[in-house]
Structure formats: structure tokens, C-alpha cells
Amino acid sequence: MLLDGKSTVAQIRARAGSLPAKAVDEALERLLRSGHILPAVDVASDHIDAGNFFSASTSESEAAAATLRANGYFVRFAQRAAQPRKLAAGEKITVFVVEDDAQLVKLVRTYFQMEGMETRLAGNREEINAGLRQAPKPDVILLDVMLPDVDGFDVLARVRQHDAVKDIPVIMMTARATREAVLKGLERGATGYITKPFHIETVLTAVKTVLGLPGAPARADSEIKPK
């Protein structure tokens, strides 16, 4: 979900990936019925300025925009898997954690091991290449942006270009919380985006959501809000 106050409906549809245009229209209609969109707006138009959707006063809108410009966003979203996944007897999920913060890596690894998932770790370009080549292929990648010798967005773009790994869900897990960073992740094919700091349960929920595992929410967990 993108609520930035600037994109047109057509632009939002273009970024919706495999989500049908009808589903986008239905979501806008629900917002209209709930009072979050001004009734006078024609939600079927491809030329709607999303800045006209909200009924807050001008002063409230300006204050909110100033806060977002100063502080960035807290972002938490994950794209729901097209189909639920059932694990075979003895099958384990492999989570590839690309992160150079040793304390965070230890926390994530411990938590996912407690959930019965295998974790594979990488903190630089060489380790990323080795981890992607290692069998079995990871089920999901948790990817930081600020790594010592490579940019996480470039890693994401290369993953999406490589036939062997292009379909692996990738959840960005980063302190880069600006609007531009989030859009960059979406444009390069991120399946999820979670900004730091976060609760580790949020990451687990995102993993279950993108893989269609039991325990995932009934719909993808999406939230963009100011600090």
C-alpha cells in the first residue's frame, strides 16, 4: 500500500505488481465508504491526485507532511503469497539473513531457530554470493540495505535479474526509512519492507505472510505511518 499524498491511482496500480486493478478500485471504494476519501472524488478516474483523498484540515495536513519530511516513515508491509504453503514432514524453511549487525543477526537467528526454521547468514558481497549458491535455495531473504561493500538495493536488483533466484521473496530490513528508499525497494522488486527498529515478531509475521505459512494474517500486513 502506498499512501504518500502524491501518486495518482494509475501510478499506484502500476506499483501494485500482480494485484488486479479491480482489487485496487475496491480498496479505494472501501476507503470512500469509511470516510477516508472525500465523497466528491471519482475513485474510478486514472488521474486522481491522492492528496485530495483526505478530509483533514489544511493545517493538519501541513503538520503531518512536515513530520514526515523531518522523520521519514515507519514502514511495515509484506505481500501475501498467492497460495498457502504446507510443509512436508520434516521440511524446514530456510531464511537467508543478509545483515552485518552482529547483535541483530544473533537475535534473528535465535528467534527463527526457536520457530524451527534454518538460518543462513551473510554480511558482505562474498558471503551473499556463497549463500545464494548454497543448497537448498533459500525460501526467503531478509536484506539490509547498508552493507560494508555492497548496497542492498543493488543486491535486490541482481536477485530479480537472476533466473535461479529471481522468485525468492525478499524482505528489506533496514533503517533507510525515507519515501525515496521505500519506493526504490518497491521498484526493484521487494516483497516486503520493514524499517528499523522493529519487533522481531514483525519480521516473523512478514516471513510467514510472503511464504503463505500457517500463522500469517488473513491479509498482508501493511502500514505506513509517521514516527
Side-chain angles (χ1 to χ4, degrees):
M1 179 180 291
L2 175 64
L3 298 176
D4 61 7
K6 296 180 181 179
S7 296
T8 65
V9 168
Q11 290 170 330
I12 292 173
R13 283 177 180 155
R15 295 177 182 135
S18 60
L19 188 66
K22 181 180 178 182
V24 177
D25 289 339
E26 289 174 350
L28 292 172
E29 288 172 2
R30 287 196 296 272
L31 288 173
L32 176 63
R33 290 194 296 270
S34 66
H36 291 88
I37 298 176
L38 291 175
V41 174
D42 174 13
V43 298
S45 171
D46 278 348
H47 304 286
I48 296 173
D49 182 346
N52 293 328
F53 280 0
F54 304 99
S55 57
S57 68
T58 301
S59 60
E60 289 174 336
S61 298
E62 290 175 349
T67 299
L68 291 176
R69 283 195 298 269
N71 299 319
Y73 298 84
F74 276 153
V75 181
R76 183 184 63 188
F77 75 82
Q79 182 178 332
R80 184 175 54 199
Q83 299 292 335
R85 177 171 174 178
K86 293 183 179 180
L87 300 179
E91 182 184 5
K92 288 189 175 182
I93 295 296
T94 298
V95 182
F96 188 21
V97 183
V98 181
E99 169 65 61
D100 66 333
D101 184 322
Q103 290 186 335
L104 181 56
V105 166
K106 183 177 180 180
L107 172 64
V108 172
R109 184 175 195 174
T110 300
Y111 195 86
F112 278 89
Q113 285 178 337
M114 291 172 61
E115 292 289 327
M117 298 182 184
E118 299 288 346
T119 54
R120 188 177 303 165
L121 309 177
N124 56 48
R125 184 194 301 268
E126 182 179 352
E127 292 172 351
I128 293 170
N129 288 331
L132 289 174
R133 293 191 186 102
Q134 182 180 341
K137 184 170 68 174
D139 293 284
V140 61
I141 301 171
L142 301 180
L143 178 59
D144 189 16
V145 171
M146 293 178 284
L147 298 165
D149 60 352
V150 66
D151 182 273
F153 291 127
D154 291 338
V155 174
L156 172 61
R158 290 180 179 273
V159 166
R160 290 293 176 245
Q161 293 166 2
H162 198 292
D163 288 341
V165 295
K166 66 181 181 181
D167 295 326
I168 298 176
V170 179
I171 300 171
M172 308 305 293
M173 193 174 66
T174 175
R176 296 281 293 276
T178 64
R179 175 179 179 269
E180 290 74 17
V182 176
L183 291 178
K184 190 173 184 178
L186 289 172
E187 289 165 355
R188 297 197 179 193
T191 321
Y193 203 108
I194 300 172
T195 52
K196 301 173 182 176
F198 52 73
H199 294 293
I200 191 63
E201 293 87 354
T202 299
V203 180
L204 177 62
T205 298
V207 167
K208 289 182 175 180
T209 297
V210 300
L211 294 178
L213 295 174
R219 59 178 181 170
D221 182 12
S222 304
E223 185 176 39
I224 297 180
K225 61 183 181 180
K227 290 182 179 180

PDB file of all heavy atoms in Angstrom, residues 74-88:
ATOM      1  N   PHE A  74       7.871   5.025   9.467  1.00  0.00           N
ATOM      2  CA  PHE A  74       7.925   3.650   9.953  1.00  0.00           C
ATOM      3  C   PHE A  74       7.151   2.836   8.929  1.00  0.00           C
ATOM      4  O   PHE A  74       5.994   3.129   8.663  1.00  0.00           O
ATOM      5  CB  PHE A  74       7.265   3.495  11.323  1.00  0.00           C
ATOM      6  CG  PHE A  74       8.148   3.836  12.481  1.00  0.00           C
ATOM      7  CD1 PHE A  74       7.610   4.276  13.672  1.00  0.00           C
ATOM      8  CD2 PHE A  74       9.526   3.697  12.400  1.00  0.00           C
ATOM      9  CE1 PHE A  74       8.418   4.587  14.759  1.00  0.00           C
ATOM     10  CE2 PHE A  74      10.342   4.005  13.468  1.00  0.00           C
ATOM     11  CZ  PHE A  74       9.785   4.462  14.650  1.00  0.00           C
ATOM     12  N   VAL A  75       7.759   1.865   8.347  1.00  0.00           N
ATOM     13  CA  VAL A  75       7.113   1.083   7.301  1.00  0.00           C
ATOM     14  C   VAL A  75       7.112  -0.384   7.702  1.00  0.00           C
ATOM     15  O   VAL A  75       8.113  -0.909   8.186  1.00  0.00           O
ATOM     16  CB  VAL A  75       7.832   1.239   5.945  1.00  0.00           C
ATOM     17  CG1 VAL A  75       7.126   0.438   4.866  1.00  0.00           C
ATOM     18  CG2 VAL A  75       7.917   2.702   5.562  1.00  0.00           C
ATOM     19  N   ARG A  76       5.983  -1.032   7.478  1.00  0.00           N
ATOM     20  CA  ARG A  76       5.874  -2.455   7.771  1.00  0.00           C
ATOM     21  C   ARG A  76       4.860  -3.045   6.800  1.00  0.00           C
ATOM     22  O   ARG A  76       3.660  -2.867   6.964  1.00  0.00           O
ATOM     23  CB  ARG A  76       5.398  -2.660   9.216  1.00  0.00           C
ATOM     24  CG  ARG A  76       5.321  -4.114   9.648  1.00  0.00           C
ATOM     25  CD  ARG A  76       4.751  -4.230  11.041  1.00  0.00           C
ATOM     26  NE  ARG A  76       3.378  -3.731  11.115  1.00  0.00           N
ATOM     27  CZ  ARG A  76       2.701  -3.582  12.242  1.00  0.00           C
ATOM     28  NH1 ARG A  76       3.265  -3.846  13.396  1.00  0.00           N
ATOM     29  NH2 ARG A  76       1.457  -3.143  12.218  1.00  0.00           N
ATOM     30  N   PHE A  77       5.346  -3.695   5.768  1.00  0.00           N
ATOM     31  CA  PHE A  77       4.413  -4.344   4.862  1.00  0.00           C
ATOM     32  C   PHE A  77       5.022  -5.619   4.312  1.00  0.00           C
ATOM     33  O   PHE A  77       6.234  -5.795   4.267  1.00  0.00           O
ATOM     34  CB  PHE A  77       3.996  -3.412   3.716  1.00  0.00           C
ATOM     35  CG  PHE A  77       5.039  -3.199   2.651  1.00  0.00           C
ATOM     36  CD1 PHE A  77       5.215  -4.119   1.624  1.00  0.00           C
ATOM     37  CD2 PHE A  77       5.840  -2.078   2.668  1.00  0.00           C
ATOM     38  CE1 PHE A  77       6.173  -3.923   0.651  1.00  0.00           C
ATOM     39  CE2 PHE A  77       6.803  -1.872   1.698  1.00  0.00           C
ATOM     40  CZ  PHE A  77       6.973  -2.805   0.679  1.00  0.00           C
ATOM     41  N   ALA A  78       4.147  -6.527   3.905  1.00  0.00           N
ATOM     42  CA  ALA A  78       4.565  -7.784   3.297  1.00  0.00           C
ATOM     43  C   ALA A  78       3.494  -8.220   2.316  1.00  0.00           C
ATOM     44  O   ALA A  78       2.304  -8.139   2.617  1.00  0.00           O
ATOM     45  CB  ALA A  78       4.768  -8.863   4.361  1.00  0.00           C
ATOM     46  N   GLN A  79       3.928  -8.651   1.147  1.00  0.00           N
ATOM     47  CA  GLN A  79       2.990  -9.101   0.116  1.00  0.00           C
ATOM     48  C   GLN A  79       2.580 -10.546   0.387  1.00  0.00           C
ATOM     49  O   GLN A  79       3.422 -11.425   0.505  1.00  0.00           O
ATOM     50  CB  GLN A  79       3.647  -9.011  -1.261  1.00  0.00           C
ATOM     51  CG  GLN A  79       2.728  -9.420  -2.398  1.00  0.00           C
ATOM     52  CD  GLN A  79       3.411  -9.258  -3.742  1.00  0.00           C
ATOM     53  OE1 GLN A  79       4.295  -8.419  -3.895  1.00  0.00           O
ATOM     54  NE2 GLN A  79       3.028 -10.068  -4.710  1.00  0.00           N
ATOM     55  N   ARG A  80       1.295 -10.777   0.484  1.00  0.00           N
ATOM     56  CA  ARG A  80       0.795 -12.113   0.780  1.00  0.00           C
ATOM     57  C   ARG A  80       1.080 -13.066  -0.370  1.00  0.00           C
ATOM     58  O   ARG A  80       0.950 -12.718  -1.539  1.00  0.00           O
ATOM     59  CB  ARG A  80      -0.713 -12.048   1.035  1.00  0.00           C
ATOM     60  CG  ARG A  80      -1.344 -13.374   1.453  1.00  0.00           C
ATOM     61  CD  ARG A  80      -2.801 -13.180   1.802  1.00  0.00           C
ATOM     62  NE  ARG A  80      -3.518 -12.534   0.720  1.00  0.00           N
ATOM     63  CZ  ARG A  80      -4.687 -11.920   0.881  1.00  0.00           C
ATOM     64  NH1 ARG A  80      -5.222 -11.823   2.066  1.00  0.00           N
ATOM     65  NH2 ARG A  80      -5.302 -11.372  -0.153  1.00  0.00           N
ATOM     66  N   ALA A  81       1.480 -14.298  -0.027  1.00  0.00           N
ATOM     67  CA  ALA A  81       1.728 -15.320  -1.036  1.00  0.00           C
ATOM     68  C   ALA A  81       0.452 -15.627  -1.807  1.00  0.00           C
ATOM     69  O   ALA A  81      -0.653 -15.569  -1.254  1.00  0.00           O
ATOM     70  CB  ALA A  81       2.252 -16.595  -0.373  1.00  0.00           C
ATOM     71  N   ALA A  82       0.607 -15.959  -3.087  1.00  0.00           N
ATOM     72  CA  ALA A  82      -0.556 -16.246  -3.921  1.00  0.00           C
ATOM     73  C   ALA A  82      -1.297 -17.487  -3.438  1.00  0.00           C
ATOM     74  O   ALA A  82      -2.520 -17.568  -3.539  1.00  0.00           O
ATOM     75  CB  ALA A  82      -0.128 -16.420  -5.375  1.00  0.00           C
ATOM     76  N   GLN A  83      -0.552 -18.449  -2.908  1.00  0.00           N
ATOM     77  CA  GLN A  83      -1.143 -19.702  -2.439  1.00  0.00           C
ATOM     78  C   GLN A  83      -0.594 -20.061  -1.063  1.00  0.00           C
ATOM     79  O   GLN A  83       0.580 -19.808  -0.787  1.00  0.00           O
ATOM     80  CB  GLN A  83      -0.833 -20.850  -3.411  1.00  0.00           C
ATOM     81  CG  GLN A  83      -1.360 -20.653  -4.816  1.00  0.00           C
ATOM     82  CD  GLN A  83      -2.877 -20.702  -4.871  1.00  0.00           C
ATOM     83  OE1 GLN A  83      -3.514 -21.320  -4.014  1.00  0.00           O
ATOM     84  NE2 GLN A  83      -3.461 -20.058  -5.879  1.00  0.00           N
ATOM     85  N   PRO A  84      -1.410 -20.642  -0.186  1.00  0.00           N
ATOM     86  CA  PRO A  84      -0.882 -21.110   1.103  1.00  0.00           C
ATOM     87  C   PRO A  84       0.115 -22.244   0.893  1.00  0.00           C
ATOM     88  O   PRO A  84       0.036 -22.975  -0.093  1.00  0.00           O
ATOM     89  CB  PRO A  84      -2.136 -21.587   1.850  1.00  0.00           C
ATOM     90  CG  PRO A  84      -3.140 -21.861   0.784  1.00  0.00           C
ATOM     91  CD  PRO A  84      -2.858 -20.911  -0.328  1.00  0.00           C
ATOM     92  N   ARG A  85       1.046 -22.348   1.801  1.00  0.00           N
ATOM     93  CA  ARG A  85       2.077 -23.373   1.679  1.00  0.00           C
ATOM     94  C   ARG A  85       1.999 -24.328   2.864  1.00  0.00           C
ATOM     95  O   ARG A  85       1.949 -23.905   4.014  1.00  0.00           O
ATOM     96  CB  ARG A  85       3.459 -22.731   1.617  1.00  0.00           C
ATOM     97  CG  ARG A  85       4.607 -23.727   1.564  1.00  0.00           C
ATOM     98  CD  ARG A  85       5.917 -23.029   1.295  1.00  0.00           C
ATOM     99  NE  ARG A  85       7.042 -23.939   1.367  1.00  0.00           N
ATOM    100  CZ  ARG A  85       8.303 -23.590   1.124  1.00  0.00           C
ATOM    101  NH1 ARG A  85       8.574 -22.336   0.794  1.00  0.00           N
ATOM    102  NH2 ARG A  85       9.280 -24.463   1.210  1.00  0.00           N
ATOM    103  N   LYS A  86       2.010 -25.613   2.551  1.00  0.00           N
ATOM    104  CA  LYS A  86       2.040 -26.644   3.590  1.00  0.00           C
ATOM    105  C   LYS A  86       3.379 -27.351   3.529  1.00  0.00           C
ATOM    106  O   LYS A  86       3.796 -27.825   2.468  1.00  0.00           O
ATOM    107  CB  LYS A  86       0.896 -27.645   3.389  1.00  0.00           C
ATOM    108  CG  LYS A  86      -0.489 -27.049   3.601  1.00  0.00           C
ATOM    109  CD  LYS A  86      -1.575 -28.106   3.455  1.00  0.00           C
ATOM    110  CE  LYS A  86      -2.955 -27.511   3.685  1.00  0.00           C
ATOM    111  NZ  LYS A  86      -4.034 -28.535   3.542  1.00  0.00           N
ATOM    112  N   LEU A  87       4.056 -27.420   4.658  1.00  0.00           N
ATOM    113  CA  LEU A  87       5.362 -28.054   4.714  1.00  0.00           C
ATOM    114  C   LEU A  87       5.213 -29.568   4.809  1.00  0.00           C
ATOM    115  O   LEU A  87       4.348 -30.072   5.527  1.00  0.00           O
ATOM    116  CB  LEU A  87       6.164 -27.534   5.910  1.00  0.00           C
ATOM    117  CG  LEU A  87       6.455 -26.026   5.934  1.00  0.00           C
ATOM    118  CD1 LEU A  87       7.239 -25.662   7.185  1.00  0.00           C
ATOM    119  CD2 LEU A  87       7.204 -25.594   4.689  1.00  0.00           C
ATOM    120  N   ALA A  88       6.066 -30.270   4.090  1.00  0.00           N
ATOM    121  CA  ALA A  88       6.091 -31.727   4.186  1.00  0.00           C
ATOM    122  C   ALA A  88       6.698 -32.133   5.525  1.00  0.00           C
ATOM    123  O   ALA A  88       7.343 -31.325   6.209  1.00  0.00           O
ATOM    124  CB  ALA A  88       6.901 -32.315   3.037  1.00  0.00           C
TER     125      ALA A  88
END
